[in-house]
Amino acid sequence: MLKFIVKRLLWMIPSLFAVSFLSFVLIQLPPGDYVTTYIATLAASNEIVDQNTAAQLRERFGLDDPMLVQYFKWIWGILTRGDFGISFEWQQPVSGLIWERMALTLLLAVASLLATWAIALPIGVFSAVRKYSIGDYFFTAFTFFGLSVPSFLLALVLMYVAAVEFGQDVGGLFSSEFETAPWSIAKMLDLLTHLWLPVAILAVSSTASLIRVMRANMLDELPKPYVTTARAKGLSEFRLLTKYPMRIALNPFISTIAWLLPNLISGSVVVAIVLNLPTAAPLLLQSLMAQDMYLAGAFVLLICALTLIGSLISDILLALIDPRIRLE
């Protein structure tokens, strides 16, 4: 198992290089560059930029270099100095823009993942064990509701309920007095009071889909002979379910970690904009629209790293839970 983990970690290195190059190329595929977007923005405000100024801006930002030269300068700065470059739009180091947002994004993603699992796992087992009961029909209706309602619409409804019915400050992850304050216990407690709303919204659709996955997996395992044998030997129903069919039914459940972590980050753009969350998704969208290639490339690279890490974690957990797939 240790050999497998080391091998996977080594394969992550060329994978990250390949994704970083492809993302860098794709970001620059649209016509023009950041200077073109910047000039268009100024033109909308009736400000004219002459060709000499545009050429000076391209030279200043290094946009007049060939694309391969730009990429190798960027990746070399990351490898040698941990420098992701300068954001064209913000005129700040990319590292200073992304780390706090990525930390808040990861916190939100992990909280949403834990909430999703805590709700989907017991409900999925219950729906399988009590198949076609009133409870099963109720949770089936809930899953269809969760899958069909757009996240942004649910966000608007919950914001209205929280603001009107409970008088809570909605929008963002902090109260106004803590937005620019240094980290402290009071700021962390304030974060927790605001975290429940985005977690609930992001967890609804994920929970709905995973309930169906868990229910289907359990229904596949419950009729099998080993379950009948264990029941005939006198095992209690709770111990029987947790020791045998649930462990096997968790396999597809755990494998979703590989895509669930990056999906919670990149797939929550609309929710983050509606709730005004200081997370990675809105800044990633803005950087892509402005063709701010270093900022967008850094976000894409980190999301790829999360995907690879999530895939590795899911493989390790699968090996721990199911002895049949452990490597000798």
Side-chain angles (χ1 to χ4, degrees), residues 170-219:
V170 295
L173 291 176
F174 301 100
S175 301
S176 56
E177 62 269 22
F178 289 106
E179 285 183 355
T180 56
W183 282 98
S184 61
I185 295 178
K187 185 171 182 177
M188 293 177 66
L189 293 175
D190 183 70
L191 172 62
L192 293 177
T193 60
H194 289 78
L195 196 62
W196 71 269
L197 184 61
V199 166
I201 295 166
L202 293 175
V204 166
S205 60
S206 301
T207 300
S209 59
L210 287 182
I211 287 174
R212 305 305 298 172
V213 171
M214 191 64 189
R215 181 181 183 275
N217 295 343
M218 286 293 292
L219 287 176

Side-chain angles (χ1 to χ4, degrees), residues 100-112 261 265 279 306:
E100 184 173 0
R101 285 181 176 261
M102 283 301 296
L104 291 174
T105 302
L106 192 59
L107 173 64
L108 182 59
V110 171
S112 301
L261 275 176
I265 296 173
T279 54
L306 279 178

Side-chain angles (χ1 to χ4, degrees), residues 10-276:
L10 291 176
W11 270 108
M12 288 173 63
I13 298 173
S15 299
L16 287 173
F17 274 109
V19 170
S20 67
F21 178 74
L22 288 175
S23 61
F24 199 86
V25 171
L26 289 173
I27 291 168
Q28 298 200 53
L29 278 182
D33 50 26
Y34 170 74
V35 174
T36 306
T37 307
Y38 178 67
I39 292 174
T41 304
L42 292 179
S45 304
N46 295 322
E47 295 184 35
I48 305 300
V49 177
D50 57 54
Q51 294 298 321
N52 291 333
T53 304
Q56 291 173 3
L57 287 173
R58 287 191 173 89
E59 183 179 0
R60 174 187 171 188
F61 294 138
L63 296 175
D64 54 348
D65 293 331
M67 185 178 62
L68 285 177
V69 174
Q70 296 178 39
Y71 170 74
F72 282 116
K73 284 182 178 180
W74 178 63
I75 204 68
W76 182 253
I78 295 175
L79 294 175
T80 57
R81 305 185 303 275
D83 181 13
F84 287 87
I86 300 294
S87 169
F88 300 151
E89 187 172 14
W90 295 82
Q91 288 299 295
Q92 295 180 29
V94 170
S95 302
L97 293 170
I98 64 174
W99 288 122
E100 184 173 0
R101 285 181 176 261
M102 283 301 296
L104 291 174
T105 302
L106 192 59
L107 173 64
L108 182 59
V110 171
S112 301
L113 181 63
L114 294 177
T116 298
W117 278 34
I119 298 170
L121 179 59
I123 292 179
V125 174
F126 172 84
S127 294
V129 174
R130 298 287 186 266
K131 183 174 61 171
Y132 304 138
S133 64
I134 295 177
D136 182 28
Y137 286 129
F138 172 79
F139 289 123
T140 299
F142 167 77
T143 58
F144 290 151
F145 171 81
L147 290 171
S148 60
V149 175
S151 297
F152 74 90
L153 179 60
L154 184 62
L156 292 173
V157 172
L158 289 182
M159 286 177 67
Y160 174 81
V161 172
V164 175
E165 300 297 331
F166 299 101
Q168 184 174 348
D169 180 22
V170 295
L173 291 176
F174 301 100
S175 301
S176 56
E177 62 269 22
F178 289 106
E179 285 183 355
T180 56
W183 282 98
S184 61
I185 295 178
K187 185 171 182 177
M188 293 177 66
L189 293 175
D190 183 70
L191 172 62
L192 293 177
T193 60
H194 289 78
L195 196 62
W196 71 269
L197 184 61
V199 166
I201 295 166
L202 293 175
V204 166
S205 60
S206 301
T207 300
S209 59
L210 287 182
I211 287 174
R212 305 305 298 172
V213 171
M214 191 64 189
R215 181 181 183 275
N217 295 343
M218 286 293 292
L219 287 176
D220 285 341
E221 297 299 324
L222 288 175
K224 291 184 177 179
Y226 73 87
V227 177
T228 305
T229 303
R231 188 175 285 119
K233 288 184 176 182
L235 281 180
S236 66
E237 195 69 15
F238 178 78
R239 188 181 178 191
L240 183 149
L241 290 174
T242 55
K243 189 174 183 180
Y244 296 112
M246 189 185 297
R247 287 182 64 183
I248 298 174
L250 279 175
N251 287 0
F253 207 80
I254 291 173
S255 64
T256 59
I257 296 177
W259 56 265
L260 200 56
L261 275 176
N263 186 59
L264 285 171
I265 296 173
S266 60
S268 59
V269 177
V270 178
V271 174
I273 293 174
V274 170
L275 294 177
N276 191 29

